[in-house]
Amino acid sequence: DARVTQTPRHKVTEMGQEVTMRCQPILGHNTVFWYRQTMMQGLELLAYFRNRAPLDDSGMPKDRFSAEMPDATLATLKIQPSEPRDSAVYFCASGLTSGRYEQYFGPGTRLTVT
Amino acid sequence: GQNIDQPTEMTATEGAIVQINCTYQTSGFNGLFWYQQHAGEAPTFLSYNVLDGLEEKGRFSSFLSRSKGYSYLLLKELQMKDSASYLCAVRDRGGAGSYQLTFGKGTKLSVIP
């Protein structure tokens, strides 16, 4: 049963600390997406990749956030320095550039910045 | 850009039928998705419409009218486990945006006995 995996599932950190979230997309998928979900804003797209190349990161605060895909099995999202307003659930999703283009979501990382 | 509207909350009775509406405005339409998200869990794919009409899948159906920028998700024979948020998402046409989805804020459905 192929799934997107994310680590850690929960993270509590203090303001100013670096946070790294990791995602393993479904094997064979060639698009990877990072989303942030809050009660107020809903699900917001931060960045996404096709064939490991970044296509759009306009949803991301560039001064503190960075997203990379060092290889086809790993995507990372880093926040440095973290701030309390970054507290949210961060989802990774993967998909294919064919068919319905549906996205499969990982379980998310619940981040709390104090 | 895109604008997607759906009701914030709905309540329905077990065994009944409920319709969740979604309206959208987009510069280029290339498909509409419905996702289900239980509290504390990830969104999961429910349905996809790219042409006008009704797509049926078991107790769930989804309808699309591209000319009206309108879709609905119909849930029949409601069960308690259908209590969840339902997210409407639209895909753009062409360019780098052709792979990304823009999500509505979701409709929280509560099914009561």
Side-chain angles (χ1 to χ4, degrees):
Chain A
D1 187 20
R3 301 183 181 202
V4 176
T5 58
Q6 289 185 246
T7 56
R9 294 293 308 278
H10 301 273
K11 176 74 175 178
V12 180
T13 191
E14 292 183 348
M15 182 173 63
Q17 296 299 305
E18 178 179 299
V19 175
T20 298
M21 291 169 268
R22 293 178 174 79
C23 166
Q24 182 172 5
I26 293 173
L27 188 64
H29 282 189
N30 63 344
T31 54
V32 174
F33 304 82
W34 282 106
Y35 291 92
R36 175 171 62 186
Q37 188 174 42
T38 61
M39 290 293 292
M40 291 297 295
Q41 299 298 326
L43 204 56
E44 302 174 283
L45 179 67
L46 297 175
Y48 75 102
F49 299 78
R50 181 187 66 189
N51 296 328
R52 295 178 54 203
L55 282 195
D56 188 350
D57 61 1
S58 59
M60 212 161 63
K62 307 244 190 348
D63 56 336
R64 299 185 300 110
F65 285 58
S66 62
E68 295 179 348
M69 272 203 80
D71 62 61
T73 64
L74 177 63
T76 62
L77 180 67
K78 289 186 181 180
I79 308 174
Q80 169 63 23
S82 57
E83 298 180 1
R85 60 180 167 154
D86 301 329
S87 297
V89 180
Y90 291 81
F91 287 105
C92 173
S94 70
L96 292 168
T97 53
S98 62
R100 295 182 300 204
Y101 293 73
E102 69 196 77
Q103 296 177 17
Y104 296 81
F105 283 77
T109 295
R110 182 173 295 276
L111 175 66
T112 302
V113 183
T114 60
Chain B
Q2 297 179 353
N3 189 35
I4 301 172
D5 287 313
Q6 46 181 133
T8 304
E9 293 185 55
M10 298 182 71
T11 301
T13 305
E14 191 176 14
I17 298 173
V18 70
Q19 177 175 313
I20 302 174
N21 295 326
C22 171
T23 58
Y24 63 88
Q25 295 169 329
T26 179
S27 52
F29 176 83
N30 203 16
L32 186 143
F33 295 77
W34 285 95
Y35 279 78
Q36 180 190 57
Q37 185 177 24
H38 285 100
E41 297 184 10
T44 55
F45 170 79
L46 277 181
S47 70
Y48 171 69
N49 295 72
V50 67
L51 299 176
D52 291 350
L54 190 67
E55 293 283 340
E56 298 187 79
K57 194 197 275 189
R59 293 188 299 113
F60 293 6
S61 304
S62 56
F63 172 83
L64 175 67
S65 168
R66 289 172 295 171
S67 62
K68 295 181 179 177
Y70 169 69
S71 172
Y72 67 72
L73 180 69
L74 194 71
L75 291 75
K76 303 176 187 174
E77 302 169 15
L78 279 173
Q79 302 175 8
M80 299 300 290
K81 67 178 181 179
D82 297 329
S83 294
S85 286
Y86 292 86
L87 308 174
C88 173
V90 173
R91 182 159 69 92
D92 252 343
R93 178 186 300 281
S98 64
Y99 308 115
Q100 70 184 71
L101 301 180
T102 301
F103 283 82
K105 292 189 176 178
T107 299
K108 184 178 179 181
L109 174 66
S110 298
V111 179
I112 57 175

